[in-house]
Amino acid sequence: MGGVLAFSGRRPLVGAALLFCIGIAFSGAFSPEFALAFLGVAALLGALAAALSRAAPGMATLLVFLAFAAGGAGAQALHMRTRGAPADDESVWAIEAVVEEPRAIRSGRQTVVVRVDRARLEGQPSWAEVRYRARLSMDPVELWPGDRIKAVARWSPPPREANPGSPGLEARFRADGIGATGFVVEKQLAVLTPPPALARAAERFRERYGRVAGLAVPEPAAQALVRALAVGDRSDLSADVNEDFGASGLAHILSVSGLHIAVVAAGLYRALRWLLSRSERLLLRVDVRAVAALSALPATWLYVWVAGAEVPAVRSGIMASALFLAVALRRDADAPSSLAASLLAVLAYDPASLWAISFQLSFAAVAGLMVLSEPLRTLVPIAKPDLTDESPRGKLRRWGESALGAAVGSLAASLATAPLVAATFHRASLVAVLSNAVALPIASGLTGAAALSAAALPFGESLAAALVCCAEPLARALLFLSHLFGTLPFASALVPAPSLPFQLAWYCGLGGLAMLPFEPKARTRLILPSLLAILLLAGGRFAAPLAQKSLVVTFLAVGQGDSTVLQAPGGEAALIDAGGDPTGRYDPGARVVVPALAELGATHLRAAVLSHPHPDHLMGLVTVLQRVQVDELWMAKGLDHEAPLLARLLEVARERGVRVRELGAGERAALGPCAVEVLHPAARDESLESNDASLVLRVSLGEVAFLLPGDVEELGEEALLAGPSSPRATVLKAPHHGSRTSSTERFVGAVHPQHVVFSVGRNRFGFPREEVVARYLAVGAQVHRTDQSGALRFATDGTSLEVTPTLR
């Protein structure tokens, strides 16, 4: 442990930053009202440490660390304090607020974080002084940080974890001090104060650069990539490009962060140092390194500001500033201390950043590079080259060492961030090390060229356009590489979120790896036990579906749409529909269905089933086919393959090698030991419209059966009842979300379910209709709704049935 203690003693900022994070993490166990008490304790401990600094330096250091822990708890508790936040029920308020984060526009909607200080409940005459942050959705409006707005907002209860694998938004919002979420009612929003000049100038600069880039690079994907790296504008990056970068392990390149700031800052410093060193007079009079470092500081922060000042960029800007100041003061720069200083600066400003995935990935990646690169390099059985060898062989070996260093650095960052990526995105990239080793040199060159073109814009659009043209080949090369690596069959794996014990074992193992150079016993004391724990935990998690003895049917909460997961004994799985938003504002396939499949262990589907080609059933299936291994796509016979939505689904199926199987009444299939019967539609009946032509499946195990009728309405139900097979079932997914045009008395009586599930979200149709619910209650069925219970899990061994709602 001597080496570890020596490391901590030389870098007290690292310990302080760690204790500050621990304080923030544990502040949630206390009421926000303890904020001032925590800050008072921090001040008292700091004063005691100062008094004991000479008499007992060891005790003083411990007290300082405890002061940082108390300070972190106090800062986070202060951040969480709210006053006058609306109740959990839906309500309409007039508000006055200050815009904090005018976030990007996606799918025609804009999400804005505001700080509300005055509010008035609808119907009340007086305004109240309040204090809470809120997340508002609205039609696109030109807003700037610092704008004061007046709006009418409909607040909703905070989002809850309604599905397996869904993000913990409720806890995240609470930690971020967000007391309300909702939307602006009928565009009732006005800006009370003019936008800040600096923010307006930055946005005008981005718009002007976008016009120049649009003229210089006609190809949309390359143009969008150049804009993303030059000015942080990712709004035009397509879903396919984002998917390629995510699957290839190169997603970090799309966000202006450590790589980009490092390239720009280092390039500025070297260029300025070279330029200043051309003058013999300057070389004799000043330290050109110090002048270059100080001159590069404002330019670096200008790039951070123009690129949007997101957490990774701010963190990198602080680190670059610390390194430049060390050069200017002729001090040895210490990278871990610089990282710790930047972490403290970001968290002191916004403690809730600790829970943001961009913050976690950014700091974890840099920390991994710092502490794991050298230990990993020592494990490679290749001697380092002789730096004094100028022969061709010596130069070749040095180039090889550079390539090896890039691969080792990529592996170090990937290892440090792997559990965070898996927990957030349910994805493990299997090509990240190779793709980063190949693509990072191109990405660095592209970043430098893009930043240089942005810097040239004030000196003329022609010059900027010329530099953008120089960046275009690099952008095209990077897009090619991301697509190449991202579309490999083994590029990424769908994985469940790692458990807390798994993450602890993982990072204990990495800690042992980092200690290897100066603590040889770490191999047996930390690395091997951690590796054993990781293998046992991961093996148990992946083997659980194979050992399953029950049929498990999970009705997911995808809003106003359908999605049902079937998991048979032995692990075979199928998915029926995957929801969809007809407006295209969000993709339930990506947000809900794929994470749920990962969490449930259904990472390989025997079949993906399309009940009928309507958006609220089909659109999410496109993402599922792209991200999940699927053997077959089942759908009803006689569908129009040229219809745009279905054509897109079939195109993706062909690209992914998914067999398409068209089914009609009377056909049968198997899902493990479960029988799957197709009850509807009859192949000969072409008179039914799309809802009534839904593919109806009856899945049974032993005495328990599930009827999944899509969106059949009265005509479809009559045709179904006229078929040779009985539709009787224990559990029924209510047809057409409980509309008055379905669930006729004759149909309800024939099925006679014990349980009925209404797959519904907020809707303008009044689904499920009261009279429909009454019919099911009349036959003794228990009624379940996904908008109230979240995802519903039904498990049966063929005799008994267990029902588990996600929300209680």
Side-chain angles (χ1 to χ4, degrees):
M1 291 296 293
V4 177
L5 294 175
F7 178 91
S8 302
R10 291 194 304 270
R11 299 172 177 86
L13 271 179
V14 175
L18 179 61
L19 267 295
F20 197 79
C21 291
I22 291 174
I24 292 173
F26 281 93
S27 66
F30 301 92
S31 168
E33 302 308 318
F34 283 94
L36 296 180
F38 279 124
L39 294 176
V41 169
L44 178 61
L45 291 172
L48 286 174
L52 295 173
S53 59
R54 292 189 177 181
M59 178 60 71
T61 301
L62 177 60
L63 290 174
V64 168
F65 284 169
L66 292 176
F68 271 94
Q76 174 62 16
L78 194 65
H79 194 76
M80 293 171 62
R81 288 174 66 179
T82 62
R83 184 178 74 248
D88 286 348
D89 57 336
E90 189 171 289
S91 54
V92 177
W93 292 74
I95 62 168
E96 288 187 11
V98 176
V99 175
E100 289 189 348
E101 299 176 42
R103 295 183 178 173
I105 298 169
R106 298 185 186 279
S107 303
R109 295 290 287 179
Q110 182 177 12
T111 302
V112 178
V113 175
V114 298
R115 187 176 67 254
V116 184
D117 51 33
R118 296 186 75 222
R120 177 172 56 84
L121 181 62
E122 185 181 44
Q124 297 294 322
S126 59
W127 289 77
E129 301 297 321
V130 298
R131 181 186 180 276
Y132 60 88
R133 302 174 81 208
R135 192 169 180 265
L136 267 176
S137 174
M138 63 186 72
D139 291 327
V141 178
E142 189 177 80
L143 292 175
W144 312 88
D147 274 349
R148 185 168 184 80
I149 64 170
K150 186 175 183 179
V152 176
R154 180 179 292 278
W155 298 134
S156 302
R160 302 174 67 186
E161 299 175 37
N163 293 282
S166 63
L169 290 178
E170 187 176 10
R172 174 71 180 90
F173 284 178
R174 185 170 60 252
D176 211 15
I178 292 180
T181 61
F183 61 91
V184 173
V185 177
E186 297 176 354
K187 300 183 179 181
Q188 296 185 65
L189 182 145
V191 178
L192 300 179
T193 59
L198 284 176
R200 191 168 68 249
E203 188 60 29
R204 281 203 305 264
F205 182 87
R206 292 190 196 102
E207 290 176 355
R208 185 182 173 198
Y209 184 86
R211 289 195 300 271
V212 171
L215 294 173
V217 183
E219 205 277 314
Q223 177 201 137
L225 183 57
V226 171
R227 288 170 58 193
L229 299 186
V231 295
D233 180 6
R234 302 193 298 273
S235 58
D236 287 336
L237 289 169
S238 68
D240 289 339
V241 168
N242 279 295
E243 173 62 21
D244 284 344
F245 274 82
S248 62
L250 298 172
H252 62 94
I253 290 175
L254 299 179
S255 174
V256 174
S257 57
L259 166 70
H260 313 83
I261 303 300
V263 168
V264 171
L268 278 169
Y269 170 69
R270 289 172 181 169
L272 288 169
R273 190 178 66 179
W274 177 85
L275 185 63
L276 293 172
S277 65
R278 298 303 93 191
S279 170
E280 184 177 346
R281 179 178 295 180
L282 282 176
L283 283 172
L284 293 173
R285 290 175 177 269
V286 298
D287 183 352
V288 294
R289 294 184 306 165
V291 174
L294 292 174
S295 301
L297 265 175
T300 299
W301 280 105
L302 181 64
Y303 179 56
V304 172
W305 170 64
V306 168
E310 295 185 355
V311 167
V314 171
R315 183 265 303 159
S316 301
I318 294 172
M319 285 193 66
S321 300
L323 295 172
F324 285 148
L325 289 173
V327 171
L329 297 173
R330 299 182 183 181
R331 296 288 186 89
D332 291 333
D334 184 71
S337 295
S338 299
L339 180 65
S342 62
L343 184 146
L344 283 170
V346 172
L347 290 181
Y349 174 74
D350 183 8
S353 293
L354 182 65
W355 311 112
I357 186 59
S358 61
F359 175 94
Q360 296 171 2
L361 292 176
S362 177
F363 279 93
V366 176
L369 283 168
M370 288 180 181
V371 302
L372 297 177
S373 294
E374 187 58 30
L376 287 171
R377 176 62 184 88
T378 61
L379 297 178
V380 180
I382 300 175
K384 291 187 176 182
D386 182 1
L387 298 180
T388 62
D389 186 358
E390 294 298 329
S391 66
R393 182 179 179 183
K395 292 180 180 179
L396 183 62
R397 292 191 63 188
R398 286 200 294 276
W399 290 340
E401 180 66 20
S402 297
L404 180 59
V408 166
S410 175
L411 177 60
S414 297
L415 289 174
T417 58
L420 302 174
V421 172
T424 305
F425 304 109
H426 294 88
R427 170 180 276 169
S429 177
L430 306 181
V431 296
V433 174
L434 180 59
S435 65
N436 277 275
V438 174
L440 280 184
I442 296 173
S444 298
L446 175 58
T447 300
L452 189 60
S453 67
L457 185 59
F459 302 99
E461 293 188 357
S462 297
L463 176 60
L467 292 171
V468 171
C469 289
C470 295
E472 180 184 12
L474 295 173
R476 289 179 178 273
L478 191 57
L479 289 167
F480 170 77
L481 289 173
S482 69
H483 184 72
L484 175 67
F485 284 107
T487 52
L488 291 174
F490 52 84
S492 64
L494 187 65
V495 295
S499 63
L500 181 59
F502 182 95
Q503 294 189 54
L504 289 174
W506 183 276
Y507 284 112
C508 282
L510 293 187
L513 181 61
M515 292 164 58
L516 267 183
F518 47 83
E519 197 76 44
K521 292 183 180 179
R523 186 188 304 272
T524 54
R525 291 180 178 177
L526 271 178
I527 297 178
L528 292 180
S530 297
L531 183 60
L532 179 61
I534 288 168
L535 292 175
L536 289 174
L537 290 167
R541 188 74 179 269
F542 284 105
L546 302 178
Q548 182 175 294
K549 301 298 184 182
S550 302
L551 166 63
V552 178
V553 179
T554 306
F555 297 92
L556 299 178
V558 291
Q560 187 59 29
D562 274 12
S563 186
T564 307
V565 182
L566 309 175
Q567 293 175 278
E572 204 164 55
L575 173 72
I576 302 176
D577 297 327
D581 178 19
T583 67
R585 291 174 180 169
Y586 83 106
D587 178 9
R591 288 195 186 183
V592 176
V593 181
V594 171
L597 291 173
E599 202 62 25
L600 294 171
T603 55
H604 177 196
L605 296 177
R606 163 82 172 82
V609 183
L610 173 65
S611 65
H612 65 297
H614 277 182
D616 57 333
H617 296 250
L618 180 153
M619 293 178 73
L621 277 178
V622 174
T623 302
V624 171
L625 292 191
Q626 289 173 331
R627 299 188 185 180
V628 182
Q629 186 179 352
V630 180
D631 293 341
E632 295 182 338
L633 172 64
W634 297 353
M635 61 185 191
K637 290 181 178 178
L639 296 180
D640 179 9
H641 290 198
E642 302 302 317
L645 288 178
L646 184 57
R648 172 60 179 156
L649 182 66
L650 294 174
E651 178 188 2
V652 173
R654 285 192 298 270
E655 292 173 353
R656 301 288 294 177
V658 178
R659 179 192 171 199
V660 178
R661 185 176 174 185
E662 298 184 81
L663 301 173
E667 296 190 58
R668 293 176 178 268
L671 189 69
C674 302
V676 180
E677 304 172 76
V678 182
L679 304 188
H680 183 73
R684 63 183 180 278
D685 193 348
E686 299 178 358
S687 62
L688 299 175
E689 298 294 334
S690 57
N691 272 353
D692 284 315
S694 293
L695 187 68
V696 178
L697 301 181
R698 185 176 184 272
V699 182
S700 59
L701 178 67
E703 302 171 5
V704 179
F706 294 80
L707 186 64
L708 306 163
D711 274 359
V712 291
E713 299 180 82
E714 184 173 0
L715 289 178
E717 291 175 358
E718 289 298 324
L720 172 62
L721 296 178
S725 299
S726 169
R728 198 168 186 85
T730 315
V731 181
L732 168 68
K733 198 276 308 175
H736 201 207
H737 318 287
S739 75
R740 62 160 53 102
T741 57
S742 61
S743 298
T744 61
E745 289 187 11
R746 184 164 177 259
F747 175 80
V748 172
V751 178
H752 204 86
Q754 297 176 20
H755 299 268
V756 60
V757 177
F758 291 97
S759 185
V760 290
R762 179 184 295 174
N763 65 85
R764 66 180 186 275
F765 312 110
F767 295 163
R769 306 294 298 193
E770 291 183 7
E771 60 269 34
V772 171
V773 174
R775 288 176 204 150
Y776 287 109
L777 292 174
V779 298
Q782 294 186 41
V783 172
H784 309 273
R785 294 173 51 158
T786 57
D787 61 337
Q788 296 176 351
S789 300
L792 287 149
R793 180 183 185 271
F794 291 78
T796 180
D797 58 2
T799 304
S800 60
L801 183 66
E802 179 184 351
V803 186
T804 308
T806 302
L807 304 177
R808 298 178 186 273

